[in-house]
Amino acid sequence: MDQTANSAARSRQGMVTSPHKRASEAGAKVLRRGGTAIEAVIAAGAALTVVYPHFCGLGGDAIWIVADRQGRQKAIMGIGQAAAELPVLETIPARGPLSALTTAAVIDSWGEALRFSADNWQGKETLGALLADAIELAAGGFPVSQSQRHWHAFRNGEIENWPGVASAFVTEGEQRQPQLATVLEAIALHGHREFYEGDTGHRIAVALEKAGSPIRAGDLIKTAATLADPVSIDYRGITLLAPPPPSQGISTLAIMGILSRFPMQDVDPTSPDFYHFCVEAVKQAFIDRGQIADPDFVAQQCGEWIAAKTLSHKAAAIDPKAALPWPHRFQTGDTVYLAAVDGEGRSASVLQSTYYDWGSGVLLPDTGIIWQNRGAAFSTDPESPNVLAPGKRPFYTLNPGIGLKNGRPHLLYGTQGADGQPQTLTVLLSRLIDHGFDPLAALSAPRFLLGRTFSDSRDNLKIEQSVGDDVLATLTARGHEVITIPALSALSGQAGVIRIGENGWMEGAHDPRSDGCAIAL
């Protein structure tokens, strides 16, 4: 059955959620013909690279968590690496060709995921078949989304300085991307490695070099998504899975581990106490976040960061009635969350991203591809674990999750929002697990964002005004530097949730802050 945007969905046969209805439909079509959750997510994700060009694209990355009822659990780390030959930079610009320092691994993540689907879930779909809807949308056109209009207008005064971007992506009427359709057709015909090793890869390398990026053909050829074991923690009997470093998934787990030391199930989720505990847990977990880096370059202390003793110590540092200072610099960024569950309960929870809205602002001629600026997430401080180095993957904000109950997928969740991702997941997971909210109710409730954003460089607590005056006044009295943002604000990210009951019923929704929906079979 079809769903209207931002409505709830319910089914026992399968479900897809994404921030755009056309992408959700592309994924649901795959499930209806018997495809796996992984295959459905690839179809939906490919469609999103077309209909949500401001947040994700072929020039970006993807991180996956996949799990099934048989106990198979994997993270697929589709993260591009820094170029082999790097310029000397005192600072890394946020935009432009010198922010395009890393390759793009989203397409290789599709190939790796398809192999996992075929090897473990009897998947039979071809990449060519799964790209069909994306190709049709790129060639035939689609109505511009509200989100694209918003972020095009938001960058007024900047976007005009990014060659070709303002004219290639419209703000009204129909959006067409014929050049991108041609690239997708080549990948459909020749396979996912066409993007890295084929004629398409050669054209991309030439265009990147001409634009001023250090990425070369050899860097594209070395790009490879990898399989990894998720990191996990128990929260009220639910095993929360997160991707390992360089993802900040460990930070989300640490926050929930800290909250597990408080009786959150007894705290009114509309009260000042609820927001205070969540905000303070974020602060404590983020103290260690600066140590997260590429484990191939820097040893990662994941076990220590979420050890019981560490989490208890951090929980004890929280004053229930007073806010602690927030000394950490906030990083902005945007992405898309999508997820699917098939009729066998096999689950895929995924984030795709070009980092900032509109990525680096570098549009590669004759391809329609905007390249990501994920290189801007590196540090130039030689003492930083995240210092820029050839072949290194940067600290990574993407952290989709799956929660297991009795070893089976129970919750699929994730959100847009860079540093805001763990913060949004904190309130979502507490509402879902501690308070039994259904997915749409959890997604619709007020959220906060601690730190700097696109429009406010102060390290304050931005909170949706729908929390009410009493909550705002109490948080201010406790020392939080509170400012309000509108209810259902675009700054609060776009999240998605699917919950699978023990009876097999699935219920899901996508954020009312998005153009998307969950579609149930």
Side-chain angles (χ1 to χ4, degrees):
M1 58 181 178
D2 279 351
Q3 304 298 132
T4 57
N6 311 132
S7 67
R10 196 164 185 265
S11 172
R12 295 189 69 167
Q13 305 305 315
M15 187 174 295
V16 179
T17 187
S18 88
H20 196 287
K21 189 169 187 285
R22 296 294 291 271
S24 295
E25 288 172 342
K29 187 186 298 185
V30 173
L31 292 182
R32 289 189 193 106
R33 63 185 188 232
T36 69
I38 282 175
E39 293 165 344
V41 163
I42 291 172
L48 282 171
T49 68
V50 178
V51 299
Y52 251 40
H54 52 300
F55 281 168
C56 73
L58 304 187
D61 289 339
I63 292 182
W64 300 58
I65 297 285
V66 297
D68 60 27
R69 293 171 180 169
Q70 286 69 46
R72 287 176 285 241
Q73 308 157 17
K74 282 295 178 184
I76 301 173
M77 310 294 285
I79 303 176
Q81 81 284 359
E85 299 290 336
L86 292 166
V88 177
L89 298 170
E90 291 187 8
T91 60
I92 302 173
R95 305 281 191 178
L98 291 182
S99 70
L101 299 173
T102 64
T103 63
V106 63
I107 294 176
D108 202 64
S109 85
W110 295 348
E112 190 67 39
L114 266 186
R115 279 192 289 271
F116 184 93
S117 177
D119 293 344
N120 298 283
W121 294 353
Q122 296 76 52
K124 295 180 172 58
E125 293 274 348
T126 65
L127 185 59
L130 297 175
L131 297 185
D133 279 62
I135 292 168
E136 182 179 342
L137 287 165
F142 54 91
V144 173
S145 68
Q146 180 275 333
S147 182
Q148 182 174 327
R149 285 196 299 271
H150 171 86
W151 289 102
H152 199 293
F154 192 88
R155 293 302 176 190
N156 184 36
E158 294 178 76
I159 198 169
E160 294 80 7
N161 299 320
W162 306 333
V165 175
S167 57
F169 299 100
V170 299
T171 58
E172 299 293 339
E174 290 275 312
Q175 173 76 65
R176 287 181 170 80
Q177 299 186 65
Q179 295 171 329
L180 186 62
T182 300
V183 171
L184 288 165
E185 286 170 345
I187 296 167
L189 179 63
H190 300 294
H192 70 282
R193 293 305 299 180
E194 165 68 15
F195 187 83
Y196 305 98
E197 301 169 3
D199 179 66
T200 300
H202 173 74
R203 289 168 52 214
I204 289 170
V206 169
L208 283 166
E209 182 175 7
K210 187 173 181 179
S213 165
I215 297 170
R216 299 291 182 265
D219 298 313
L220 294 179
I221 291 170
K222 293 176 185 175
T223 304
T226 58
L227 285 177
D229 292 326
V231 286
S232 65
I233 198 169
D234 179 84
Y235 187 81
R236 320 280 190 215
I238 306 296
T239 302
L240 303 178
L241 304 180
S247 162
Q248 67 174 339
I250 196 76
S251 297
T252 298
L253 298 186
I255 296 168
M256 300 311 296
I258 294 166
L259 283 185
S260 72
R261 271 69 181 166
F262 298 96
M264 294 300 291
Q265 66 273 23
D266 298 327
V267 177
D268 180 350
T270 66
S271 70
D273 286 343
F274 177 80
Y275 293 100
H276 179 78
F277 280 124
C278 288
V279 169
E280 295 304 301
V282 167
K283 291 177 182 177
Q284 290 295 321
F286 273 31
I287 290 171
D288 296 325
R289 204 178 63 132
Q291 301 304 307
I292 298 172
D294 187 341
D296 291 341
F297 285 73
V298 181
Q300 298 292 281
Q301 309 300 321
C302 292
E304 180 180 325
W305 293 332
I306 56 174
K309 182 178 179 180
T310 302
L311 299 175
S312 294
H313 176 75
K314 290 181 180 295
I318 293 175
D319 186 331
K321 298 299 180 184
L324 293 175
W326 175 248
H328 306 289
R329 185 171 177 225
F330 188 91
Q331 297 289 330
T332 54
D334 280 297
T335 182
V336 295
Y337 176 72
L338 60 160
V341 181
D342 59 34
E344 301 297 321
R346 300 172 297 206
S347 302
S349 180
V350 184
L351 282 161
Q352 294 184 172
S353 178
T354 46
Y355 198 27
Y356 285 21
D357 58 293
W358 307 107
S360 64
V362 175
L363 176 65
L364 305 184
D366 304 322
T367 67
I369 297 171
I370 292 181
W371 210 259
Q372 66 182 352
N373 62 330
R374 188 60 67 169
F378 279 116
S379 172
T380 55
D381 179 358
E383 301 301 315
S384 170
N386 190 45
V387 65
L388 176 64
K392 190 176 183 179
R393 297 172 298 169
F395 164 78
Y396 227 80
T397 53
L398 303 190
N399 70 123
I402 290 180
L404 306 176
K405 188 173 185 178
N406 299 321
R408 293 183 166 199
H410 172 60
L411 288 172
L412 286 73
Y413 51 88
T415 184
Q416 169 213 43
D419 289 6
Q421 288 185 29
Q423 304 184 46
T424 294
L425 295 182
T426 298
V427 293
L428 283 179
L429 288 170
S430 184
R431 286 167 177 152
L432 290 163
I433 298 171
D434 292 318
H435 300 287
F437 279 35
D438 65 65
L440 184 57
L443 292 165
S444 302
R447 300 210 283 258
F448 67 83
L449 187 60
L450 179 64
R452 306 176 187 188
T453 67
F454 298 122
S455 57
D456 190 335
S457 62
R458 293 172 295 168
D459 287 317
N460 49 32
L461 178 62
K462 299 159 184 68
I463 192 164
E464 292 183 329
Q465 61 191 18
S466 49
V467 298
D469 292 342
D470 290 347
V471 171
L472 296 170
T474 302
L475 292 174
T476 300
R478 291 182 183 178
H480 296 279
E481 186 185 349
V482 176
I483 67 165
T484 60
I485 55 178
L488 303 179
S489 169
L491 288 176
S492 298
Q494 298 178 2
V497 174
I498 297 175
R499 179 161 59 195
I500 310 165
E502 293 183 73
N503 58 3
W505 278 100
M506 308 166 195
E507 52 183 340
H510 214 81
D511 209 305
R513 299 162 184 81
S514 76
D515 303 279
C517 64
I519 293 180
L521 269 62

